[in-house]
Amino acid sequence: MATQEATIQVPHAGPAHERRAIARSALRVFAREGWQRSDTEAVAAEAGVDASTVRRYYKDKEQLFLGVLLESTASVSAALTAIAERHLTRITDLEPDLIAFGLAWQSPIADYPDHFALVRRISAEVSVLPQIVMEIWQNAGPRPARRELARHLQRLSEEGVLAIEDGDADLAAGRFILLTSTGIVQRTFHGTVPLGDREIEQHITDGVRDFLSLYRPADRPSPDASA
């Protein structure tokens, strides 16, 4: 994976179903074996095609890895965007609604197991992967998802549902993710180690309450305060 220029090339044209089958197979191989132990031949065997067929779409392992990473990351980012749209467009009861959103935000870990297995491999091999790979991954998925969350939080602040200072929506989004999601990701190793539903819900509930201690408007007292 030598040059940045190589990272922006796209797969060659061909039958869409064949390219998708190769991409799915590559994702499984890279997620299972990692970057260093995988090769084009292993992907071809997984897909049930010749290695030359794989190279028709992706000129080498580098392009195959990056293509699969971008496609997989974009799918997860789109899922997170849809979750934010579904849960944050209308807030009727602040704390329960944010808890429900926090729970839904975790669902891609179970819905995209191969992607998060690939993320674990990237984390394990970060010392041998060039920095540009990490940048491409972050720019394709985590950063757009955070920006989308920030957009919703900014709108909620403008509506008076939250109290976020101008220009701080991205910081608020980062704090929400840190308080509700990061601990679960770390404790489960991106979905490898099971965590009980009750434990997940308690972690997110505590995280949302910590978040609201920072961003709850003064005219919206917490349920405990009004009890």
Side-chain angles (χ1 to χ4, degrees), residues 25-165:
S25 298
L27 176 58
R28 289 193 296 269
V29 170
F30 285 124
R32 186 173 65 238
E33 304 295 339
W35 162 256
Q36 289 184 298
R37 295 175 55 189
S38 300
D39 54 34
T40 303
E41 286 70 22
V43 172
E46 182 88 11
V49 299
D50 293 332
S52 59
T53 302
V54 176
R55 285 190 286 270
R56 188 188 320 147
Y57 296 96
Y58 304 91
K59 72 171 189 175
D60 53 26
K61 186 174 81 165
E62 175 178 331
Q63 286 300 311
L64 181 57
F65 180 81
L66 287 167
V68 165
L69 176 60
L70 285 171
E71 189 170 323
S72 179
T73 300
S75 295
V76 174
S77 181
L80 291 172
T81 296
I83 290 168
E85 188 72 23
R86 187 163 62 249
H87 285 268
L88 299 180
T89 296
R90 183 163 178 248
I91 296 292
T92 57
D93 197 348
L94 183 57
E95 184 176 303
D97 286 352
L98 287 183
I99 291 170
F101 165 66
L103 288 168
W105 191 260
Q106 313 307 312
S107 60
I109 295 178
D111 295 341
Y112 298 87
D114 287 337
H115 170 78
F116 287 99
L118 180 60
V119 169
R120 291 193 295 273
R121 287 293 184 180
I122 290 173
S123 300
E125 295 185 302
V126 65
S127 62
V128 298
L129 290 171
Q131 183 62 34
I132 189 61
V133 173
M134 304 300 292
E135 283 297 309
I136 287 173
W137 168 43
Q138 290 289 318
N139 287 335
R143 286 171 185 158
R146 176 168 163 161
R147 284 196 299 270
E148 185 65 13
L149 175 56
R151 183 180 70 82
H152 282 282
L153 295 181
Q154 177 63 43
R155 179 184 51 76
L156 291 174
S157 181
E158 292 168 356
E159 294 173 357
V161 178
L162 294 172
I164 301 172
E165 293 185 7

Side-chain angles (χ1 to χ4, degrees), residues 115-224:
H115 170 78
F116 287 99
L118 180 60
V119 169
R120 291 193 295 273
R121 287 293 184 180
I122 290 173
S123 300
E125 295 185 302
V126 65
S127 62
V128 298
L129 290 171
Q131 183 62 34
I132 189 61
V133 173
M134 304 300 292
E135 283 297 309
I136 287 173
W137 168 43
Q138 290 289 318
N139 287 335
R143 286 171 185 158
R146 176 168 163 161
R147 284 196 299 270
E148 185 65 13
L149 175 56
R151 183 180 70 82
H152 282 282
L153 295 181
Q154 177 63 43
R155 179 184 51 76
L156 291 174
S157 181
E158 292 168 356
E159 294 173 357
V161 178
L162 294 172
I164 301 172
E165 293 185 7
D166 289 345
D168 281 352
D170 183 70
L171 175 62
R175 284 175 171 167
F176 186 91
I177 293 169
L178 178 65
L179 291 168
T180 61
S181 297
T182 302
I184 292 174
V185 168
Q186 291 174 341
R187 291 169 67 184
T188 65
F189 295 92
H190 292 284
T192 301
V193 179
L195 200 62
D197 291 344
R198 184 174 298 178
E199 195 170 358
I200 291 173
E201 183 171 0
Q202 187 60 57
H203 178 88
I204 291 173
T205 298
D206 291 343
V208 166
R209 287 174 178 170
D210 288 343
F211 176 81
L212 289 177
S213 73
L214 298 171
Y215 297 110
R216 187 192 298 272
D219 61 351
R220 286 176 176 251
S222 68
D224 292 341

